[in-house]
Amino acid sequence: GAVVSQHPSRVICKSGTSVKIECRSLDFQATTMFWYRQFPKQSLMLMATSNEGSKATYEQGVEKDKFLINHASLTLSTLTVTSAHPEDSSFYICSASTGVGQRRAFFGQGTRLTVV
Amino acid sequence: TQLLEQSPQFLSIQEGENLTVYCNSSSVFSSLQWYRQEPGEGPVLLVTVVTGGEVKKLKRLTFQFGDARKDSSLHITAAQPGDTGLYLCAGAVSSGSARQLTFGSGTQLTVLP
């Protein structure tokens, strides 16, 4: 099956710094990628949807200047958490879809972000 | 806004028991998926149901999609400790150029040996 790789799997950073998380589709072209945030024992909350070559669409309540998303190629999307604070600590997951009519999105393994 | 309510939120049972997890919505979905997620990992797709009334079986797991495509259930027979995990249902709606998933609230299942 299709593989989506997220990097890093874990990151610890200091308050005020920025952290970049990468999401790569390894064996297919992902026209659309989704970024989710998940708190412990809770469900996934969609943060934004990004289409290759265009600006991401953010869900209500998600600050686009705080969570910068770039989808510059059909195999790579990045999420940058800018000026991170402890409350940004969470599990971030990406998924990738091949586009129109596709029922399935493939999930990365997630990134555990801890801001200290 | 499509909302998916899962119940129960937490479930702890003994090995060998049966259980059912429910996923309900007031919205209609074009398809519905069930995932299982373990701590520190991404969700893993178990099944996709598409047709109202559809029933799919995956070994000891039985998935059903409601006739109106608003609800679904997951039944596990003779649960094993390896079934422990966070179970998530997700409804798919067509959104522009891609299918966007709306996730349920999740059911944390613990199967005790």
mmCIF file of all heavy atoms in Angstrom, chain B residues 7 16 27 35 45 71 73 82 105 113:
data_model
loop_
_atom_site.group_PDB
_atom_site.id
_atom_site.type_symbol
_atom_site.label_atom_id
_atom_site.label_comp_id
_atom_site.label_asym_id
_atom_site.label_seq_id
_atom_site.Cartn_x
_atom_site.Cartn_y
_atom_site.Cartn_z
ATOM 1 N N SER B 7 -19.555 6.137 20.839
ATOM 2 C CA SER B 7 -19.838 5.655 22.191
ATOM 3 C C SER B 7 -19.528 4.171 22.277
ATOM 4 O O SER B 7 -19.694 3.437 21.300
ATOM 5 C CB SER B 7 -21.307 5.920 22.552
ATOM 6 O OG SER B 7 -22.160 5.215 21.673
ATOM 7 N N GLY B 16 -11.902 -12.278 25.718
ATOM 8 C CA GLY B 16 -12.946 -13.241 25.404
ATOM 9 C C GLY B 16 -14.338 -12.641 25.324
ATOM 10 O O GLY B 16 -15.258 -13.256 24.772
ATOM 11 N N SER B 27 -25.566 13.739 10.047
ATOM 12 C CA SER B 27 -25.236 14.024 8.657
ATOM 13 C C SER B 27 -25.067 12.729 7.868
ATOM 14 O O SER B 27 -24.759 11.676 8.426
ATOM 15 C CB SER B 27 -23.941 14.824 8.574
ATOM 16 O OG SER B 27 -24.035 16.032 9.291
ATOM 17 N N TYR B 35 -10.753 3.231 11.930
ATOM 18 C CA TYR B 35 -9.314 3.168 12.137
ATOM 19 C C TYR B 35 -9.037 2.658 13.551
ATOM 20 O O TYR B 35 -9.846 2.822 14.476
ATOM 21 C CB TYR B 35 -8.676 4.558 12.023
ATOM 22 C CG TYR B 35 -8.698 5.158 10.638
ATOM 23 C CD1 TYR B 35 -9.817 5.833 10.150
ATOM 24 C CD2 TYR B 35 -7.575 5.074 9.820
ATOM 25 C CE1 TYR B 35 -9.816 6.399 8.884
ATOM 26 C CE2 TYR B 35 -7.566 5.637 8.559
ATOM 27 C CZ TYR B 35 -8.695 6.301 8.100
ATOM 28 O OH TYR B 35 -8.694 6.862 6.847
ATOM 29 N N LEU B 45 -5.972 2.202 8.899
ATOM 30 C CA LEU B 45 -7.296 1.935 8.349
ATOM 31 C C LEU B 45 -7.663 0.465 8.515
ATOM 32 O O LEU B 45 -6.892 -0.426 8.172
ATOM 33 C CB LEU B 45 -7.333 2.312 6.867
ATOM 34 C CG LEU B 45 -8.659 2.072 6.148
ATOM 35 C CD1 LEU B 45 -9.730 3.011 6.680
ATOM 36 C CD2 LEU B 45 -8.492 2.253 4.643
ATOM 37 N N ASP B 71 -24.805 6.437 10.348
ATOM 38 C CA ASP B 71 -24.253 5.807 11.529
ATOM 39 C C ASP B 71 -23.575 4.498 11.161
ATOM 40 O O ASP B 71 -23.792 3.942 10.074
ATOM 41 C CB ASP B 71 -25.350 5.552 12.573
ATOM 42 C CG ASP B 71 -26.501 4.762 11.995
ATOM 43 O OD1 ASP B 71 -26.402 3.521 11.971
ATOM 44 O OD2 ASP B 71 -27.473 5.384 11.541
ATOM 45 N N SER B 73 -21.426 0.851 13.117
ATOM 46 C CA SER B 73 -21.042 0.143 14.336
ATOM 47 C C SER B 73 -19.886 -0.794 14.035
ATOM 48 O O SER B 73 -19.703 -1.251 12.898
ATOM 49 C CB SER B 73 -22.220 -0.644 14.915
ATOM 50 O OG SER B 73 -22.633 -1.641 14.015
ATOM 51 N N GLY B 82 -4.566 -7.856 22.180
ATOM 52 C CA GLY B 82 -4.026 -7.189 21.004
ATOM 53 C C GLY B 82 -5.016 -6.250 20.334
ATOM 54 O O GLY B 82 -4.620 -5.454 19.465
ATOM 55 N N SER B 105 -15.281 11.003 17.860
ATOM 56 C CA SER B 105 -14.658 11.393 19.125
ATOM 57 C C SER B 105 -13.738 10.318 19.683
ATOM 58 O O SER B 105 -12.971 10.564 20.600
ATOM 59 C CB SER B 105 -15.737 11.752 20.142
ATOM 60 O OG SER B 105 -16.821 10.829 20.102
ATOM 61 N N PRO B 113 -6.069 -9.181 29.970
ATOM 62 C CA PRO B 113 -5.827 -10.630 29.828
ATOM 63 C C PRO B 113 -6.429 -11.406 30.995
ATOM 64 O O PRO B 113 -6.698 -10.863 32.050
ATOM 65 C CB PRO B 113 -4.284 -10.723 29.825
ATOM 66 C CG PRO B 113 -3.818 -9.492 30.496
ATOM 67 C CD PRO B 113 -4.837 -8.421 30.220
#
